[in-house]
Amino acid sequence: MGIRFEHVSYHYSGQAKRPYEAIKDITLSIESTNEFIALVGHTGSGKSTLAQHMNALVFPSEGAVTLFGRTITSKRDKTIKYNDLRRKVGLVFQFPEYQLFEETVEKDIMFGPLNFHIPFAEARELAVKAIHLVGLDESYLRRNPFNLSGGEKKRVSIAGILAMDPEILVLDEPTSGLDPKGKIQMMELFQSIQRETKKTIILITHDMDLVYRYANRVIVLDAGQLVFDGTPDDLFKRADLEKRHLDYPQTIRVLNAINQTLGANISVYQKTVDDAYQALLEVLKR
Amino acid sequence: MKSIVIGQYIPGDGFLYKVDPRTKLIGILFLLVAVFLLKTTTELLIASGIVVLFFLIAKLSIPRILKGLRPIVVLMLFTLVFQFFFNQTGSPVLPDERTLLNLTVVSIPSFILWTILWRIARKKIRYRFFLLLTYIAGAYAILNLVPVVIPILNPITFQIYSNALEMSVFVIIRLMIVLTLSTLLTLTTKPTDLTQGIEKLMRPLKLIGIQSEDFALIISISLRYIPTILDEANKIMLAQASRGADFSEGKLKDKIKQVISLLVPMFIIAFKRSEDLADAMESRNFVPGKLRSRIHELKFGRYDIVMVIFVLLAFGVSLYLAL
């Protein structure tokens, strides 16, 4: 089960003579449990378009997407209830401003569940649960979402999706615009959600440090094409990342530089700064 | 929505692109008046020939423009139906035996069958408009030509009069000319040039206290932000749809809620944008009402002379014909 892409292409048609192909011939499959996937690629590589396919917001121009056993092609199938599929795959957009609209945080979080015909009392319970999940306390429920800080808005928008209890959570650049501490907090949050609920989390990001540290699978897009699908360790061992407009994580880059200038032989593949520090100490002791 | 050509600018380098926007604005205004002065279909046909010529010298593709005019087909059909049913002057076009629509045991079932056939074909074939015409012609043929066997209801008389035919052709051609002419203006003029042209033309209004620069600025900013806001609206719609807001189905009460979920973020984002824009303009020393220099100053050239001569000629001829 889960999500399966089979030779999916999508083109935007516009005034331009040739339609713009956002993604080309993508084939991949995603389990509905226990995955922490990072979707990376530089701006305009088709990451967001791919994410929107995952909850039937856009329909593939060619090929087929199978969501929890339902196959979606370019034609609208009247027997499929697309709304039900959207409940199974929760998509959090990059900017919380796109979705916050109610007078209180509580009402805003309840908007999703109520749309899926969950009874009012139950939706309220879900909202309380969701606000705790994103690390805010219940006093936030009565506040106005427009008076919150950027980071808090982001958390509330994520809570709005979590309250729908999706089986797969897709997050479009959830850490953009946050300070380093906020980033780590947010990522720890996703990791704990993933550990607690076993839901698959798909994360669109530009930050290779976070990819290396948290993800257990990386999907790389370049100009709309799938160019890598595997573990972060395999990805960063490759030498051609610059060609894909990607960077190496800080730890690898720093340790590599130390190796080169000092002629040392530290193993560079360390996921956190602490690990890198330990590896460096070990070599220095010797 | 994306195929609408009216109001768009298509970059190019034909004759009309080189004419000053002021000349074009006034010129097209005069040409529009001239079209309304024409009284017979032949005159209109000559005028539409001239419009086609315009497109050729502007190096614009005609099929593309016609495609963009598709939304007004409904308006044309409406005109046609109205004329056929209510304009009953002039001589009858159809001979008497062709005016009866017989409702008989044979013709009613075959009419229903024909309708079903058309509904099925509509889903399979792309040229729906031609299909509709074929359907209407076929339905008429069935009701009129099938021999009378056991009539069920009294036959209906249906007659087309010559004036209705003439008037509908006349109105449709005029509608097309007027629309294509005004499209021609926006197709060949950059929005910035157009607003500058409007600004310059409105200069005299300063005497009665209307600031033409402010007016032009308002127009150009709103034109500039239409695509941006549309893009944003689309994103908000997707964001709310992913939370289960279905804009196509549901009860009225749910729908109102869903529209609010779209409007509130849109207003907030639009206000935020306008504040940012105001800050950006101020930080670059923009002061409303102060005199500003421009990179491209509008200048009249030889193309304008050609345009003016042509417009005067066309306007003179139609005025002469009208009097």
Side-chain angles (χ1 to χ4, degrees), chain B residues 60-114:
Chain B
L60 288 164
S61 93
I62 293 168
R64 198 165 157 191
I65 309 300
L66 287 180
K67 237 174 146 183
L69 288 178
R70 222 190 278 164
I72 65 159
V73 164
V74 183
L75 206 64
M76 291 182 182
L77 272 179
F78 191 70
T79 319
L80 215 65
V81 170
F82 232 78
Q83 289 288 344
F84 277 8
F85 281 100
F86 296 105
N87 191 343
Q88 302 196 331
T89 54
S91 53
V93 176
L94 300 170
D96 279 340
E97 69 269 20
R98 289 281 157 265
T99 60
L100 291 181
L101 300 181
N102 302 308
L103 304 170
T104 66
V105 174
V106 182
S107 70
I108 289 179
S110 34
F111 173 72
I112 293 167
L113 203 72
W114 177 244

Side-chain angles (χ1 to χ4, degrees), chain A residues 88-106:
Chain A
K88 286 191 171 154
V89 183
L91 175 58
V92 183
F93 277 70
Q94 187 177 352
F95 301 106
E97 288 82 8
Y98 286 148
Q99 70 174 64
L100 300 178
F101 75 100
E102 287 278 18
E103 310 108 73
T104 65
V105 169
E106 185 180 34

Side-chain angles (χ1 to χ4, degrees), chain B residues 100-201:
Chain B
L100 291 181
L101 300 181
N102 302 308
L103 304 170
T104 66
V105 174
V106 182
S107 70
I108 289 179
S110 34
F111 173 72
I112 293 167
L113 203 72
W114 177 244
T115 310
I116 293 167
L117 212 72
W118 168 62
R119 299 301 300 185
I120 295 169
R122 243 173 76 94
K123 286 189 184 127
K124 303 271 151 93
I125 302 172
R126 280 185 53 209
Y127 299 96
R128 288 195 182 163
F129 183 63
F130 293 102
L131 218 60
L132 181 71
L133 290 183
T134 325
Y135 167 71
I136 292 169
Y140 173 72
I142 287 171
L143 292 175
N144 187 253
L145 296 178
V146 170
V148 182
V149 200
I150 324 168
I152 298 174
L153 296 164
N154 289 331
I156 302 168
T157 42
F158 170 75
Q159 180 60 280
I160 298 172
Y161 292 87
S162 60
N163 275 9
L165 212 59
E166 216 173 272
M167 269 308 281
S168 46
V169 170
F170 181 79
V171 170
I172 284 173
I173 294 178
R174 191 158 74 180
L175 193 67
M176 277 183 71
I177 294 178
V178 166
L179 271 170
T180 42
L181 263 183
S182 31
T183 312
L184 210 56
L185 176 71
T186 49
L187 275 181
T188 60
T189 321
K190 271 185 239 153
T192 47
D193 284 352
L194 199 62
T195 44
Q196 204 183 343
I198 293 171
E199 182 190 324
K200 287 273 160 68
L201 286 174

Side-chain angles (χ1 to χ4, degrees), chain B residues 17-312:
Chain B
Y17 288 90
K18 290 165 187 151
V19 177
D20 189 283
R22 286 167 289 179
T23 323
K24 252 189 284 187
L25 268 166
I26 299 285
I28 292 205
L29 205 68
F30 268 85
L31 287 181
L32 286 177
V33 175
V35 169
F36 277 96
L37 286 174
L38 298 177
K39 279 199 183 109
T40 65
T41 314
T42 4
E43 289 164 11
L44 271 182
L45 279 176
I46 295 167
S48 53
I50 293 169
V51 173
V52 170
L53 216 68
F54 256 127
F55 276 96
L56 289 180
I57 51 174
K59 292 184 194 158
L60 288 164
S61 93
I62 293 168
R64 198 165 157 191
I65 309 300
L66 287 180
K67 237 174 146 183
L69 288 178
R70 222 190 278 164
I72 65 159
V73 164
V74 183
L75 206 64
M76 291 182 182
L77 272 179
F78 191 70
T79 319
L80 215 65
V81 170
F82 232 78
Q83 289 288 344
F84 277 8
F85 281 100
F86 296 105
N87 191 343
Q88 302 196 331
T89 54
S91 53
V93 176
L94 300 170
D96 279 340
E97 69 269 20
R98 289 281 157 265
T99 60
L100 291 181
L101 300 181
N102 302 308
L103 304 170
T104 66
V105 174
V106 182
S107 70
I108 289 179
S110 34
F111 173 72
I112 293 167
L113 203 72
W114 177 244
T115 310
I116 293 167
L117 212 72
W118 168 62
R119 299 301 300 185
I120 295 169
R122 243 173 76 94
K123 286 189 184 127
K124 303 271 151 93
I125 302 172
R126 280 185 53 209
Y127 299 96
R128 288 195 182 163
F129 183 63
F130 293 102
L131 218 60
L132 181 71
L133 290 183
T134 325
Y135 167 71
I136 292 169
Y140 173 72
I142 287 171
L143 292 175
N144 187 253
L145 296 178
V146 170
V148 182
V149 200
I150 324 168
I152 298 174
L153 296 164
N154 289 331
I156 302 168
T157 42
F158 170 75
Q159 180 60 280
I160 298 172
Y161 292 87
S162 60
N163 275 9
L165 212 59
E166 216 173 272
M167 269 308 281
S168 46
V169 170
F170 181 79
V171 170
I172 284 173
I173 294 178
R174 191 158 74 180
L175 193 67
M176 277 183 71
I177 294 178
V178 166
L179 271 170
T180 42
L181 263 183
S182 31
T183 312
L184 210 56
L185 176 71
T186 49
L187 275 181
T188 60
T189 321
K190 271 185 239 153
T192 47
D193 284 352
L194 199 62
T195 44
Q196 204 183 343
I198 293 171
E199 182 190 324
K200 287 273 160 68
L201 286 174
M202 282 175 56
R203 267 285 152 74
L205 290 181
K206 244 186 180 166
L207 292 175
I208 55 166
I210 294 172
Q211 293 289 329
S212 63
E213 289 103 339
D214 293 356
F215 192 71
L217 189 73
I218 291 168
I219 294 176
S220 60
I221 288 178
S222 22
L223 280 178
R224 157 67 187 78
Y225 276 95
I226 288 172
T228 314
I229 301 262
L230 270 182
D231 191 49
E232 229 126 54
N234 191 36
K235 276 188 188 151
I236 295 165
M237 212 144 96
L238 289 180
Q240 303 298 24
S242 84
R243 293 209 288 167
D246 198 326
F247 295 95
S248 54
E249 292 158 29
K251 281 174 265 171
L252 186 67
K253 191 181 148 248
D254 297 341
K255 258 191 190 158
I256 291 170
K257 179 98 186 178
Q258 279 148 9
V259 169
I260 291 171
S261 80
L262 182 68
L263 285 181
V264 173
M266 258 185 79
F267 270 101
I268 285 170
I269 289 173
F271 281 131
K272 177 101 183 47
R273 265 195 189 285
S274 70
E275 267 168 28
D276 288 351
L277 180 70
D279 285 345
M281 285 166 80
E282 244 168 34
S283 71
R284 283 193 273 173
N285 237 346
F286 174 84
V287 182
K290 275 271 173 68
L291 218 62
R292 288 189 297 145
S293 58
R294 288 186 183 272
I295 295 178
H296 304 288
E297 277 297 337
L298 296 180
K299 254 186 241 141
F300 290 113
R302 56 201 161 97
Y303 293 101
D304 297 283
I305 299 170
V306 178
M307 179 87 181
V308 167
I309 290 172
F310 171 77
V311 170
L312 284 180

